[in-house]
Amino acid sequence: MIIRKFLTAMLTSFMVVLIYFSLDPSSPVLLFGIYLFSILMFVGIPTSIVSDFLTKKQQGLSRLLTSFILHVGAASLLVLLPFALYEINWNPQNFFFVTSLFSSFLFWTFDEMLKIQLINKKLCMNT
């Protein structure tokens, strides 16, 4: 599971960097990618592990939605909490907020895709 989460963090960072670089090649996107990868390692992976633990008894759409809400909710809190603690005015279109939502959505998507592939691989091996 940890390898899948690490791979998911790498894929997410790579995709976000690729998309942001295509939008603005002159910006320091690679530095941002390193920053994003470290956040995914220390916040995204633990959040995803907790999400897997909390949703392991659920199945189908219910599990997917709960997992999605946990991933996106944790990312939102990570950005909104400092603004609330320091009483900083913020805009919902804030770069960090949008990036955290987008990154958490990608992380969740890649993790679910890899999870489905592993389940299918195990099912094929058992038949």
Side-chain angles (χ1 to χ4, degrees), residues 27-102:
S27 66
V29 174
L30 291 178
L31 291 174
F32 174 72
I34 293 168
Y35 174 71
L36 176 63
F37 182 70
S38 63
I39 289 173
L40 290 174
M41 290 295 295
F42 294 108
V43 178
I45 290 176
T47 298
S48 189
I49 290 170
V50 168
S51 171
D52 284 353
F53 177 75
L54 293 175
T55 62
K56 71 179 170 184
K57 292 185 180 179
Q58 294 178 315
Q59 293 181 353
L61 188 59
S62 171
R63 189 195 65 74
L64 283 173
L65 287 175
T66 304
S67 176
F68 175 76
I69 290 168
L70 289 170
H71 280 80
V72 173
S76 299
L77 281 176
L78 179 67
V79 174
L80 296 178
L81 197 58
F83 284 100
L85 289 176
Y86 295 108
E87 298 176 3
I88 301 170
N89 291 331
W90 71 282
N91 185 346
Q93 290 90 14
N94 179 300
F95 171 78
F96 297 109
F97 186 67
V98 171
T99 300
S100 71
L101 292 178
F102 180 62

